[in-house]
C-alpha cells in the first residue's frame, strides 16, 4: 500500500542550526502539507503546498520556515535557525483533492538543544 | 476559541467493552474526521463524515455527527487491547473560511484497553 515516508525519524540539533526534514508523498497525490505536534499537545497545521507553491500557511510558519519540492518526489521543510520551541514531531501529509482524508507519514522528531 | 475538543481526555476500559469518545467544534464544517495515533507514531485516518451525514459505520467504528450541536462521537465496539491509542477528531472547514487542507485537530482522547 502506498505510504508517505519521512526522514530522518529523529534529529537532534543545536539552537540556531538549520534543519531540513524530508518527505516523499504518495506518488499520485497533488497536495502536500506539514503539520507539527509539540509533545502532549494538539496537531497543528503549518503549511499546504500545491502546484509548486504555498497554498496556505499558518501563523506558526514564519520567515524561519520554508518548503520546497526540489524534484518530482521529495517535499522538504527547512527551518533556518532553530529555536528551543521548534522541538516537536513534524508530520508530512498528502492527498489528491486538497480536502478530505489526509495521509500522514510517521513523523520526524526534532529535538533542539 | 478552540475547534475540535474531545472528551474525555483519557478513557480506560476492559477488552470487549465499548468505548465512546466525543468531539465538539465551533465553526461550520465540510466534514469531520477521526484519526488514530499510536504512541510516537503517525496519524492514521479512521473515518470521515460529511456535514450532511448523521451517522457512518466502518467495521467496529460508528461515528455520529450533530451539526446543530456542533458535536460528533466515535464509538468503538467490542474493544481490543490493540485499540489502545490516542484518538483525534479533526474538522475541515474549507468552504467556510478555513484554508484548504488545514484540518483543525482536537487535543485527543487517550484510550487504554486492558486485556
Amino acid at each position: 500500500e502506498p505510504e508517505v515516508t519521512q526522514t530522518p525519524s529523529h534529529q537532534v540539533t543545536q539552537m540556531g542550526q538549520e534543519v531540513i526534514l524530508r518527505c516523499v508523498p504518495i506518488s499520485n497525490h497533488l497536495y502536500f502539507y506539514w503539520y507539527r505536534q509539540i509533545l502532549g499537545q494538539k496537531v497543528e497545521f503549518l503549511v499546504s503546498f500545491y502546484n509548486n507553491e504555498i497554498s496556505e500557511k499558518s501563523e506558526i510558519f514564519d520567515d524561519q520556515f520554508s518548503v520546497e519540492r526540489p524534484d518530482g518526489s521529495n517535499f522538504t521543510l527547512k527551518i533556518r535557525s532553530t529555536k528551543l520551541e521548534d522541538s516537536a514531531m513534524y508530520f508530512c501529509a498528502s492527498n489528491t483533492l486538497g480536502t478530505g482524508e489526509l495521509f500522514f507519514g510517521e513523523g520526524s522528531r526534532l529535538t533542539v538543544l | 476559541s478552540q475547534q475540535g475538543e474531545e472528551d474525555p481526555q483519557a478513557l480506560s476500559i476492559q477488552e470487549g467493552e465499548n468505548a465512546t469518545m466525543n468531539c465538539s467544534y465551533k465553526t461550520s464544517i465540510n466534514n469531520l474526521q477521526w484519526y488514530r495515533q499510536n504512541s510516537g507514531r503517525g496519524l492514521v485516518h479512521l473515518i470521515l463524515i460529511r456535514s450532511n451525514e448523521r451517522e457512518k459505520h466502518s467495521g467496529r467504528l460508528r461515528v455520529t455527527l450533530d451539526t446543530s450541536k456542533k458535536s460528533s462521537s466515535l464509538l468503538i465496539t467490542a474493544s481490543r487491547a490493540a485499540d489502545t491509542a490516542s484518538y483525534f477528531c479533526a474538522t475541515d472547514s474549507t468552504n467556510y473560511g478555513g484554508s484548504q487542507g488545514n484540518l483543525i485537530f482536537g487535543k485527543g482522547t487517550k484510550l487504554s484497553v486492558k486485556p
Side-chain angles (χ1 to χ4, degrees):
Chain A
E1 188 173 326
E3 58 181 18
V4 176
T5 58
Q6 290 186 242
T7 55
S9 57
H10 189 191
Q11 180 151 358
V12 180
T13 190
Q14 295 290 326
M15 194 167 55
Q17 295 296 304
E18 176 183 284
V19 160
I20 297 176
L21 305 177
R22 292 182 168 81
C23 169
V24 179
I26 293 173
S27 61
N28 64 340
H29 286 182
L30 301 176
Y31 293 81
F32 314 118
Y33 311 88
W34 285 100
Y35 282 75
R36 81 170 185 190
Q37 185 181 32
I38 294 172
L39 186 64
Q41 298 192 25
K42 291 185 178 188
V43 177
E44 300 172 292
F45 169 79
L46 293 179
V47 66
S48 60
F49 191 88
Y50 170 71
N51 200 24
N52 284 320
E53 60 184 25
I54 290 174
S55 304
E56 300 285 347
K57 58 184 180 179
S58 70
E59 292 175 353
I60 303 167
F61 195 88
D62 61 22
D63 292 345
Q64 292 301 312
F65 290 88
S66 62
V67 288
E68 195 177 33
R69 188 155 163 83
D71 54 42
S73 59
N74 288 286
F75 179 51
T76 61
L77 174 69
K78 182 194 287 187
I79 309 174
R80 284 192 191 82
S81 178
T82 50
K83 308 184 190 89
L84 294 176
E85 54 265 36
D86 293 328
S87 293
M89 280 286 279
Y90 288 82
F91 292 105
C92 175
S94 66
N95 61 10
T96 50
L97 298 174
T99 187
E101 175 184 357
L102 287 185
F103 293 80
F104 283 86
E106 288 291 325
S108 292
R109 179 174 297 284
L110 176 64
T111 302
V112 182
L113 303 176
Chain B
S1 63
Q2 293 183 335
Q3 183 89 327
E5 296 289 332
E6 294 93 336
D7 78 86
Q9 290 185 339
L11 180 61
S12 182
I13 58 174
Q14 293 294 132
E15 219 170 17
E17 293 180 340
N18 296 342
T20 300
M21 289 159 268
N22 302 297
C23 169
S24 61
Y25 59 92
K26 295 189 184 301
T27 66
S28 297
I29 61 172
N30 294 76
N31 62 68
L32 185 144
Q33 302 173 38
W34 285 90
Y35 286 82
R36 166 196 167 122
Q37 183 182 37
N38 285 6
S39 181
R41 305 291 299 275
L43 294 124
V44 176
H45 182 264
L46 294 175
I47 195 165
L48 179 153
I49 186 165
R50 301 190 192 287
S51 59
N52 61 353
E53 296 175 311
R54 292 296 165 257
E55 188 170 312
K56 203 160 183 182
H57 296 255
S58 176
R60 293 185 295 114
L61 304 180
R62 174 179 166 254
V63 170
T64 62
L65 180 65
D66 186 335
T67 52
S68 66
K69 294 181 180 175
K70 290 186 166 58
S71 67
S72 173
S73 67
L74 171 68
L75 168 68
I76 304 174
T77 60
S79 62
R80 304 166 184 166
D83 294 328
T84 295
S86 291
Y87 292 82
F88 297 88
C89 70
T91 53
D92 178 342
S93 299
T94 305
N95 291 347
Y96 298 97
S99 48
Q100 198 160 35
N102 179 356
L103 294 182
I104 307 296
F105 283 83
K107 289 184 179 177
T109 293
K110 198 165 186 175
L111 174 67
S112 174
V113 181
K114 300 186 188 316

